[in-house]
Amino acid sequence: MPTPFDHAMNQLERATKLAFFSPEFLERLRYPNRQIRVSIPVTMDDGSLRVFEGYRVQFNNARGPYKGGIRYHQDTDIEEVKALAFWMSLKCAVANIPMGGGKGGVSVNPKTLSAGELERLSRGWMRALADVVGAHKDVPAPDVNTTPQIMAWMADEYAKVTGETNGAVITGKPLDAGGSEGRGTATAQGGFYVFEALRSELGLPEQCRVVIQGFGNAGEHAAEIWSKAGHKIVATCDSKAAVRNPDGLDIAALYVHKKSTGSVAGFAGGETFEGSELCFEPCDLLIPAALENQIRQDNVGRVQAKAILELANGPVTPDADDALFARGVPVIPDILANSGGVTVSTFEWEQNLNGEHWSEAQVFEKLKTMMEREAVGILNRSRELKTDLRRAAFVIALERIKDAMK
Ligand code: GLU
């Protein structure tokens, strides 16, 4: 099975057929600047010792410090983190923020850890990597299964190890620990601005039937934002099950249900079904907001959505991209659609460096302007090049990285 990094390199190759990039530049982009693996010993609550494997991949810093989240997942490995770090390099260029690309992770199912074990693991990650991160070197953030609380532990650990107390070393912190207004919802909010900027151009109705895969950091906020704007969330899922209601799910009630039971399964306001079937529900807009490799050559024929917006990183494989393009189903690519998260992370970093605190209205106004501008730029470029949105986004990102590398 091709890895996410194989897919990333495949995407790079396809996009670079559309514009001139030197072979030397492309060769450079196939290798991360640095890949770091560390062992993180953690004393468990029962007194035993477990060693976890942690990662940081620093892909490209031509445009600024490495930037990207830290993922806690049982399937995470260095190959996945490398792909995610590559995508971050392009994403920050698409968003036109002064950041390079990096990513981190730990191979762990955090749901099996107590709060104390999670804290010791998170502090351990930072202790092991404190010499390679830094406000002007490499700035981590949340990703799958990591939270503002985890960022706060890490920021605190960094301060203890290095004596530097400026929070700009890590973003996605809680508000009272130097976080930014709006960071929690930024990924979904940014995706929504992109959707609004492109909706009519992509032939989508004013009120869409929306399916959201994932009810975590990105998905749960997307459900809230799209439904508040008058769209119908007809199905969603978490790692345990999916739930559908063709008349639209009551998202506030679903959120309460998930908080109290730990899953969307069994929600009274809908019908529970198999999570693996979620992406094939009929809808106008499908929003994958979970993990990579969800829509592939072997299942793309079953996708009924009229358009896809990738809040997850890498959910649609290159083969599936081609099949969707041939069918006229636009895919709004991850490096544009979910770049609102890292954009507001960069606002947080700026606020920390300058000792400022911006209001939520300021944050969202800036975010909206930036997302709309890049979305329209990518749409126009895709029309000029007669290609899909992903290739157009890649070309724009690569041009920006190339300029910085000169
Ligand atoms: N993990 C998020 C992403 O994949 C956010 C990264 C950040 O804020 O640095 O874009």
Side-chain angles (χ1 to χ4, degrees):
M1 249 242 304
T3 64
F5 193 70
D6 294 330
H7 289 315
M9 291 300 102
N10 193 336
Q11 291 167 340
L12 176 68
E13 211 146 290
R14 292 149 168 258
T16 52
K17 293 204 173 101
L18 296 165
F20 177 75
F21 297 102
S22 75
E24 294 76 20
F25 170 69
L26 294 177
E27 181 66 0
R28 193 75 193 78
L29 274 188
R30 289 189 189 103
Y31 299 90
N33 289 351
R34 209 147 50 142
Q35 307 184 59
I36 305 149
R37 300 168 87 120
V38 293
S39 299
I40 309 171
V42 176
T43 305
M44 307 303 280
D45 290 349
D46 65 4
S48 66
L49 185 95
R50 262 180 79 185
V51 179
F52 295 89
E53 189 164 34
Y55 316 100
R56 188 71 183 167
V57 174
Q58 300 180 324
F59 211 100
N60 185 288
N61 63 349
R63 293 177 41 88
Y66 302 104
K67 183 89 193 80
I70 303 166
R71 172 172 296 196
Y72 285 1
H73 196 276
Q74 56 277 20
D75 299 332
T76 289
D77 59 20
I78 192 93
E79 276 295 301
E80 182 193 44
V81 175
K82 190 164 78 169
L84 292 162
F86 169 81
W87 284 321
M88 283 310 302
S89 312
L90 277 90
K91 189 188 299 184
C92 293
V94 160
N96 218 353
I97 49 181
M99 293 289 176
K103 199 83 174 197
V106 178
S107 306
V108 62
N109 178 355
K111 290 165 192 158
T112 64
L113 302 185
S114 70
E117 289 165 345
L118 194 62
E119 175 173 354
R120 294 193 287 282
L121 174 68
S122 303
R123 288 182 179 277
W125 187 97
M126 184 51 98
R127 212 175 313 124
L129 289 159
D131 56 338
V132 303
V133 303
H136 298 286
K137 271 199 274 186
D138 183 348
V139 185
D143 194 72
V144 172
N145 289 333
T146 52
T147 59
Q149 173 64 73
I150 291 174
M151 300 304 113
W153 288 325
M154 288 185 168
D156 185 56
E157 193 62 27
Y158 184 80
K160 276 190 188 151
V161 174
T162 64
E164 275 175 48
T165 52
N166 189 315
V169 61
I170 196 162
T171 60
K173 301 178 294 294
L175 273 180
D176 57 9
S180 175
E181 302 286 346
R183 177 62 187 86
T185 53
T187 305
Q189 190 63 55
F192 184 70
Y193 292 143
V194 169
F195 161 79
E196 283 204 308
L198 303 183
R199 186 188 57 72
S200 67
E201 294 284 344
L202 300 181
L204 293 171
E206 255 168 53
Q207 285 195 323
C208 288
R209 289 167 308 139
V210 183
V211 168
I212 302 176
Q213 185 196 35
F215 212 65
N217 282 349
E220 97 186 2
H221 296 300
E224 199 185 323
I225 292 167
W226 260 265
S227 72
K228 272 199 181 138
H231 305 283
K232 258 186 206 163
I233 315 301
V234 292
T236 187
C237 70
D238 56 23
S239 56
K240 299 190 184 97
V243 54
R244 66 158 82 85
N245 182 342
D247 297 327
L249 293 158
D250 177 343
I251 296 304
L254 180 60
Y255 185 74
V256 172
H257 176 84
K258 160 112 185 166
K259 268 266 157 337
S260 63
T261 66
S263 170
V264 299
F267 177 55
E271 178 198 352
T272 297
F273 65 108
E274 186 55 49
S276 58
E277 288 298 303
L278 194 271
C279 291
F280 317 119
E281 288 289 295
C283 62
D284 299 304
L285 181 69
L286 169 64
I287 305 182
L291 297 169
E292 307 89 50
N293 288 356
Q294 301 302 300
I295 299 166
R296 305 172 301 266
Q297 195 172 27
D298 62 288
N299 66 14
V300 65
R302 295 184 58 212
V303 170
Q304 300 188 57
K306 297 200 184 96
I308 298 178
L309 181 135
E310 297 182 325
L311 279 190
N313 291 306
V316 179
T317 67
D319 291 338
D321 255 347
D322 283 349
L324 291 162
F325 187 62
R327 272 166 50 193
V329 177
V331 178
I332 306 175
D334 45 10
I335 57 173
L336 168 66
N338 71 33
S339 66
V342 71
T343 300
V344 176
S345 269
T346 304
F347 296 166
E348 177 175 334
W349 175 79
E350 274 182 65
Q351 292 171 74
N352 293 156
L353 288 178
N354 301 328
E356 293 172 0
H357 187 84
W358 307 350
S359 69
E360 190 182 73
Q362 261 174 300
V363 166
F364 286 146
E365 201 186 293
K366 268 175 162 267
L367 179 66
K368 185 166 192 268
T369 310
M370 291 168 73
M371 300 298 296
E372 283 174 357
R373 186 179 54 219
E374 301 309 329
V376 171
I378 288 170
L379 178 72
N380 291 341
R381 198 62 183 272
S382 76
R383 288 181 174 162
E384 263 166 54
L385 295 171
K386 297 191 176 31
T387 191
D388 59 19
L389 295 167
R390 190 184 318 277
R391 284 177 172 89
F394 263 64
V395 168
I396 290 175
L398 292 169
E399 286 170 352
R400 289 176 180 167
I401 296 172
K402 184 180 78 177
D403 285 349
M405 280 170 83
K406 265 193 218 151

Coordinates of all heavy atoms in Angstrom, one line a residue, residues 276-305:
S276 N -17.4 3.4 8.7 CA -16.7 3.3 7.4 C -17.6 3.6 6.2 O -17.0 3.7 5.1 CB -16.1 1.8 7.3 OG -17.2 0.9 7.4
E277 N -18.9 3.7 6.4 CA -19.8 4.0 5.3 C -20.1 5.5 5.1 O -20.7 5.9 4.1 CB -21.1 3.2 5.5 CG -21.0 1.8 5.3 CD -20.6 1.4 3.9 OE1 -21.3 1.8 3.0 OE2 -19.6 0.7 3.7
L278 N -19.6 6.3 6.0 CA -19.9 7.7 6.1 C -19.7 8.4 4.8 O -20.5 9.2 4.3 CB -19.1 8.3 7.2 CG -19.5 9.7 7.8 CD1 -18.7 10.8 7.1 CD2 -20.9 10.0 7.9
C279 N -18.5 8.2 4.2 CA -18.1 9.0 3.0 C -19.0 8.7 1.8 O -18.9 9.5 0.8 CB -16.7 8.8 2.6 SG -15.6 9.5 3.9
F280 N -19.8 7.7 1.8 CA -20.6 7.4 0.7 C -22.1 7.8 0.8 O -22.9 7.4 0.0 CB -20.5 5.9 0.4 CG -19.1 5.4 0.6 CD1 -18.8 4.4 1.5 CD2 -18.1 6.0 -0.2 CE1 -17.4 4.0 1.7 CE2 -16.8 5.6 0.0 CZ -16.4 4.6 0.9
E281 N -22.4 8.6 1.8 CA -23.8 9.1 2.0 C -24.0 10.2 0.9 O -23.1 10.9 0.5 CB -23.9 9.8 3.3 CG -23.9 8.9 4.5 CD -25.2 8.1 4.6 OE1 -26.2 8.7 4.8 OE2 -25.1 6.8 4.5
P282 N -25.3 10.3 0.4 CA -25.5 11.3 -0.6 C -25.5 12.7 0.1 O -26.0 12.8 1.2 CB -27.0 11.0 -1.0 CG -27.5 10.0 0.0 CD -26.4 9.4 0.7
C283 N -24.9 13.7 -0.6 CA -24.8 15.0 -0.1 C -24.3 16.0 -1.1 O -23.8 15.5 -2.2 CB -23.8 15.0 1.1 SG -22.2 14.6 0.7
D284 N -24.3 17.3 -0.8 CA -23.7 18.2 -1.7 C -22.2 18.4 -1.4 O -21.4 18.5 -2.3 CB -24.4 19.6 -1.5 CG -25.9 19.6 -1.9 OD1 -26.2 19.1 -3.0 OD2 -26.7 19.9 -1.0
L285 N -21.9 18.4 -0.1 CA -20.6 18.7 0.3 C -20.1 17.6 1.3 O -20.8 17.4 2.3 CB -20.5 20.1 0.9 CG -19.1 20.5 1.4 CD1 -18.2 20.7 0.2 CD2 -19.1 21.8 2.3
L286 N -19.0 17.0 1.0 CA -18.4 16.0 1.9 C -17.1 16.7 2.5 O -16.3 17.2 1.8 CB -18.0 14.7 1.2 CG -17.1 13.7 1.9 CD1 -17.9 13.2 3.1 CD2 -16.7 12.6 1.0
I287 N -17.1 16.7 3.8 CA -15.9 17.3 4.5 C -15.2 16.2 5.3 O -15.6 15.9 6.4 CB -16.4 18.4 5.5 CG1 -17.2 19.4 4.8 CG2 -15.2 19.0 6.2 CD1 -17.6 20.6 5.6
P288 N -14.1 15.6 4.7 CA -13.3 14.7 5.5 C -12.6 15.5 6.5 O -11.9 16.4 6.2 CB -12.4 14.0 4.5 CG -12.9 14.5 3.1 CD -13.6 15.7 3.3
A289 N -12.7 15.1 7.8 CA -12.0 15.9 8.9 C -11.4 14.9 9.9 O -11.4 15.1 11.1 CB -13.0 16.8 9.6
A290 N -10.8 13.8 9.3 CA -10.2 12.8 10.2 C -8.8 12.5 9.7 O -7.9 13.4 10.0 CB -11.1 11.6 10.3
L291 N -8.6 11.4 9.1 CA -7.2 11.0 8.8 C -7.0 10.9 7.2 O -7.9 11.1 6.4 CB -6.9 9.6 9.4 CG -7.0 9.7 11.0 CD1 -7.0 8.3 11.5 CD2 -5.9 10.5 11.6
E292 N -5.8 10.5 6.9 CA -5.4 10.3 5.4 C -6.1 9.1 4.8 O -6.6 8.2 5.5 CB -3.9 10.1 5.3 CG -3.0 11.1 5.9 CD -2.6 10.7 7.4 OE1 -2.2 9.6 7.6 OE2 -2.9 11.6 8.2
N293 N -5.9 9.0 3.5 CA -6.3 7.8 2.7 C -7.7 7.3 2.9 O -7.9 6.1 2.9 CB -5.3 6.7 3.1 CG -3.9 6.9 2.5 OD1 -3.7 7.9 1.8 ND2 -3.0 6.0 2.8
Q294 N -8.7 8.2 3.0 CA -10.0 7.8 3.2 C -10.7 7.5 1.9 O -11.5 6.6 1.7 CB -10.8 8.9 4.0 CG -10.2 9.2 5.3 CD -10.2 7.9 6.2 OE1 -11.2 7.3 6.5 NE2 -9.0 7.5 6.6
I295 N -10.5 8.4 0.8 CA -11.1 8.2 -0.5 C -10.0 7.8 -1.4 O -9.1 8.6 -1.7 CB -11.8 9.5 -0.9 CG1 -12.9 9.7 0.2 CG2 -12.5 9.4 -2.2 CD1 -13.5 11.1 0.2
R296 N -10.1 6.6 -1.9 CA -9.1 5.9 -2.7 C -9.7 5.4 -4.0 O -10.9 5.4 -4.2 CB -8.5 4.8 -1.9 CG -8.0 5.1 -0.5 CD -7.6 3.9 0.2 NE -8.7 3.0 0.4 CZ -9.5 2.9 1.4 NH1 -9.4 3.7 2.4 NH2 -10.5 2.1 1.5
Q297 N -8.8 4.9 -4.8 CA -9.2 4.3 -6.1 C -10.3 3.3 -5.9 O -11.3 3.2 -6.6 CB -8.0 3.7 -6.9 CG -8.4 3.5 -8.3 CD -7.1 3.1 -9.1 OE1 -6.2 2.5 -8.5 NE2 -7.1 3.4 -10.3
D298 N -10.1 2.4 -4.9 CA -11.0 1.3 -4.7 C -12.4 1.7 -4.1 O -13.3 0.9 -4.2 CB -10.4 0.3 -3.7 CG -10.1 0.8 -2.3 OD1 -9.2 1.6 -2.2 OD2 -10.9 0.5 -1.4
N299 N -12.6 2.9 -3.6 CA -13.9 3.3 -3.1 C -14.5 4.6 -3.7 O -15.6 5.0 -3.4 CB -13.9 3.3 -1.6 CG -13.0 4.4 -1.0 OD1 -12.6 5.3 -1.7 ND2 -12.8 4.3 0.3
V300 N -13.7 5.3 -4.5 CA -14.1 6.6 -5.0 C -15.4 6.5 -5.8 O -16.2 7.5 -5.8 CB -12.9 7.3 -5.8 CG1 -12.6 6.6 -7.1 CG2 -13.3 8.8 -6.1
G301 N -15.6 5.4 -6.5 CA -16.8 5.2 -7.3 C -18.1 5.3 -6.4 O -19.2 5.5 -6.9
R302 N -17.9 5.1 -5.1 CA -19.1 5.1 -4.3 C -19.4 6.5 -3.7 O -20.4 6.7 -3.0 CB -18.9 4.1 -3.1 CG -18.9 2.6 -3.6 CD -18.8 1.7 -2.5 NE -19.9 1.8 -1.6 CZ -19.9 1.6 -0.3 NH1 -18.7 1.2 0.3 NH2 -20.9 1.7 0.4
V303 N -18.5 7.4 -3.9 CA -18.7 8.8 -3.4 C -19.8 9.5 -4.1 O -19.8 9.5 -5.4 CB -17.4 9.6 -3.5 CG1 -17.6 11.1 -3.1 CG2 -16.3 9.0 -2.6
Q304 N -20.8 10.0 -3.4 CA -22.0 10.6 -4.1 C -22.0 12.2 -3.9 O -22.8 12.8 -4.4 CB -23.3 10.1 -3.5 CG -23.4 8.6 -3.6 CD -24.8 8.2 -3.2 OE1 -25.8 8.6 -3.7 NE2 -24.9 7.3 -2.2
A305 N -21.0 12.7 -3.2 CA -20.9 14.1 -2.9 C -20.7 14.9 -4.2 O -20.1 14.4 -5.2 CB -19.8 14.4 -2.0

